[in-house]
Amino acid sequence: HAASRAVSGTFASPSRAFHASRAPPPRARFAPRASAGAGDVAGALFSTDKRPIILFDGVCNLCNGGVNLALDLDPPGKLRFAALQSDAGQTLLARAGRDKSDISSIVLVEEHETYVKSDAVLRIATYLENPALPAAAALGMFFPEQLRDAVYDLVAANRYELLGMKDECRLGDDRFDDRFVADAPNRGE
């Protein structure tokens, strides 16, 4: 299982900082690298583009709605996206020490940190342009992680029943081509 480590300093989006004295930051979850190859390939995803990558269930309508909302609320393009089922998603899951077949949770992968479940949702909110979302993320941190994750797990377990699913992963929109990562780069690139 992934080890946990508290993030020190501030919990911040590039435009806003919430000091630890106001609300504790979500804990980044780290794990031993699954293999040197997975780490090398995942590292290549961040070698020229440092923007975090949101891993989402590509066939889930609820998840795709969340991606659409994030695209709308992130006009500068601070975030990238990859379906959990894609080559890039599978590689980043392995790098985070998660089972490649586990598509039950949203995962936010920053260059050196990984967030899952409610911690991922709260961290993503800090990158979005709606001023209420970073504030809501800071408030959300006052609730115990076990409670937040229990609510998250309830929604995640019923996401297909709530809004259904697609037969295939989301196809990119030309306006957002640079925001979607489908394939993991080759180690030699």
Side-chain angles (χ1 to χ4, degrees):
H1 292 293
S4 295
R5 179 175 77 111
V7 178
S8 61
T10 59
F11 176 41
S13 73
S15 62
R16 293 172 189 82
F18 291 100
H19 294 282
S21 62
R22 285 189 178 166
R27 292 177 300 157
R29 296 171 189 185
F30 295 91
R33 306 253 172 172
S35 69
D40 293 345
V41 174
L45 289 168
F46 289 100
S47 66
T48 58
D49 190 338
K50 304 295 185 198
R51 293 179 295 172
I53 301 172
I54 298 173
L55 305 181
F56 66 99
D57 181 350
V59 298
C60 167
N61 287 334
L62 177 64
C63 306
N64 279 293
V67 168
N68 289 336
L69 180 65
L71 286 166
D72 289 343
L73 295 176
D74 180 24
K78 298 176 211 166
L79 297 165
R80 294 182 287 166
F81 305 87
L84 287 159
Q85 298 90 338
S86 70
D87 289 342
Q90 297 285 290
T91 299
L92 290 169
L93 281 173
R95 176 187 184 222
R98 297 185 62 84
D99 187 314
K100 289 182 175 185
S101 66
D102 181 6
I103 61 167
S104 66
S105 175
I106 189 169
V107 179
L108 176 65
V109 182
E110 294 178 342
E111 185 175 12
H112 300 291
E113 299 172 10
T114 298
Y115 302 86
V116 297
K117 297 187 180 186
S118 64
D119 285 343
V121 172
L122 294 175
R123 181 70 177 180
I124 290 164
T126 67
Y127 285 97
L128 302 178
E129 293 294 309
N130 183 320
L133 292 174
L139 289 174
M141 292 311 302
F142 286 109
F143 293 94
E145 180 181 10
Q146 294 82 4
L147 176 62
R148 288 185 284 119
D149 281 350
V151 172
Y152 181 92
D153 288 340
L154 181 66
V155 172
N158 295 291
R159 67 190 185 274
Y160 298 138
E161 288 80 18
L162 291 171
L163 291 176
M165 61 186 293
K166 299 177 184 261
D167 292 332
E168 57 186 34
C169 289
R170 173 193 174 97
L171 297 176
D173 178 327
D174 291 347
R175 296 173 298 154
F176 303 113
D177 278 350
D178 72 319
R179 307 281 299 279
F180 286 90
V181 181
D183 298 318
N186 295 325
R187 276 180 245 153
E189 290 181 0

